[in-house]
């Protein structure tokens, strides 16, 4: 009783996979990480930079084509700012006013201390960092390229694990097929034995012994 030809596929793909990619995007660099696991329904979880929000719809559409079922976790991090390094802005006017006020305070108090104005007021009052603004939509092609590279790794892993699962299932089905064959032989043997035992009973019934 062979069951293998009717139930086995040529290939199998696992639902578990991991992929990552890092590359130049805009003026900086992005790191992309994708994970997929088995799940009854389709579920996507994103952890992306806040200013990448405008791309979430495109990213979701990209993954929907590839994932009909299962859970997918996406993590994206700016390794280097994609719109350029932060710029420093110095508030000279405020610093000068602080300096003037400190000198006046020393004079009024007749203090000989020469404490630095930055130590008194804090450097963050006069120097501030501003990250350049930009539109992530203009960088979609670069982001999509990294997503594709990460997904290629996932596909490779899923096919590799799927091949292992397929091999394991074939082995199990072969053992099952062999066991069913043994059961079938024993069943036929028992059936023939019962049939052989039943024949004399029928003959005795048809030709009863008379005294």
């Amino acid at each position: 009783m062979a069951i293998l030809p009717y139930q086995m596929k040529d290939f199998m793909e696992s639902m578990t996979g991991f992929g990552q990619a890092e590359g130049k995007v805009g003026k900086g660099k992005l790191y992309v990480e994708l994970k997929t696991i088995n799940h009854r329904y389709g579920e996507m979880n994103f952890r992306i930079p806040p200013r990448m929000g405008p791309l979430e719809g495109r990213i979701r559409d990209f993954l929907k084509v590839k994932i009909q079922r299962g859970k997918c976790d996406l993590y994206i991090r700016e390794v280097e700012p994609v719109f350029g390094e932060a710029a420093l802005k110095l508030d000279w006017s405020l610093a000068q006013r602080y300096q003037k006020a400190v000198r006046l305070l020393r004079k009024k108090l007749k203090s000989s201390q020469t404490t630095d104005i930055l130590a008194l007021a804090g450097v963050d009052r006069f120097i501030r960092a501003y990250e350049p603004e930009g539109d992530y939509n203009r960088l979609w092609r670069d982001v999509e390229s990294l997503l594709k590279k990460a997904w290629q790794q996932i596909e490779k892993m899923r096919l590799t694990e799927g091949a292992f699962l397929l091999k394991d299932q074939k082995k199990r089905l072969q053992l099952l097929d062999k066991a069913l064959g043994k059961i079938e032989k024993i069943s036929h043997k028992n059936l023939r034995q019962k049939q052989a035992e039943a024949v004399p009973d029928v003959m005795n019934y048809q030709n009863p012994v008379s005294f």
Side-chain angles (χ1 to χ4, degrees):
M1 180 178 180
I3 61 175
L4 293 179
Y6 306 100
Q7 297 188 8
M8 296 310 298
K9 298 180 180 180
D10 294 332
F11 73 96
M12 180 180 293
E13 188 176 39
S14 169
M15 296 189 70
T16 302
F18 175 82
Q20 59 183 353
E22 184 176 308
K24 181 175 175 59
V25 175
K27 297 180 179 180
K29 187 182 293 184
L30 280 186
Y31 170 77
V32 175
E33 183 178 290
L34 274 171
K35 295 178 183 178
T36 61
I37 59 173
N38 190 15
H39 196 272
R40 184 176 180 181
Y41 304 105
E43 182 180 331
M44 295 184 189
N45 297 317
F46 293 170
R47 284 194 299 156
I48 61 178
R51 56 184 180 175
M52 191 183 278
L55 284 188
E56 185 171 339
R58 287 186 174 186
I59 295 173
R60 194 173 295 276
D61 291 339
F62 172 86
L63 294 173
K64 277 183 178 178
V65 176
K66 302 180 180 300
I67 304 173
Q68 286 72 42
R69 187 172 66 87
K71 182 179 179 183
C72 175
D73 292 327
L74 169 66
Y75 170 66
I76 299 180
R77 174 172 59 88
E78 286 190 15
V79 179
E80 299 173 3
V82 298
F83 300 119
E85 296 291 340
L88 297 178
K89 185 176 181 180
L90 308 179
D91 194 334
W92 291 108
S93 177
L94 180 62
Q96 287 173 349
R97 291 199 300 271
Y98 262 95
Q99 186 179 45
K100 185 177 180 180
V102 170
R103 286 175 178 173
L104 180 60
L105 182 63
R106 286 174 183 162
K107 184 177 181 180
K108 292 291 184 181
L109 296 177
K110 297 181 180 180
S111 174
S112 59
Q113 292 184 357
T114 58
T115 306
D116 187 1
I117 181 177
L118 296 179
L120 288 173
V123 68
D124 57 324
R125 289 181 180 270
F126 315 118
I127 303 176
R128 295 185 180 181
Y130 293 88
E131 290 190 2
E133 296 182 358
D135 184 4
Y136 252 108
N137 282 307
R138 296 182 178 180
L139 305 176
W140 167 242
R141 289 187 178 180
D142 292 338
V143 176
E144 184 183 31
S145 177
L146 292 178
L147 289 171
K148 287 179 179 179
K149 289 180 181 179
W151 186 257
Q152 286 173 356
Q153 294 180 22
I154 285 182
E155 282 189 327
K156 185 177 179 181
M157 181 178 292
R158 291 170 74 165
L159 286 172
T160 300
E161 186 173 345
F164 174 80
L165 293 174
L166 181 62
K167 182 178 180 181
D168 182 66
Q169 285 195 5
K170 281 184 177 180
K171 183 177 180 180
R172 291 173 183 272
L173 285 174
Q174 287 172 349
L175 293 174
L176 178 60
D177 195 49
K178 187 180 294 185
L180 289 175
K182 291 181 179 180
I183 293 173
E184 191 174 25
K185 287 181 180 180
I186 295 173
S187 178
H188 288 166
K189 181 179 179 181
N190 291 340
L191 179 60
R192 287 194 298 270
Q193 185 176 350
K194 288 183 178 180
Q195 289 174 341
E197 292 174 352
V199 170
D201 293 339
V202 173
M203 294 299 295
N204 292 334
Y205 177 77
Q206 292 177 347
N207 301 291
V209 179
S210 57
F211 296 94

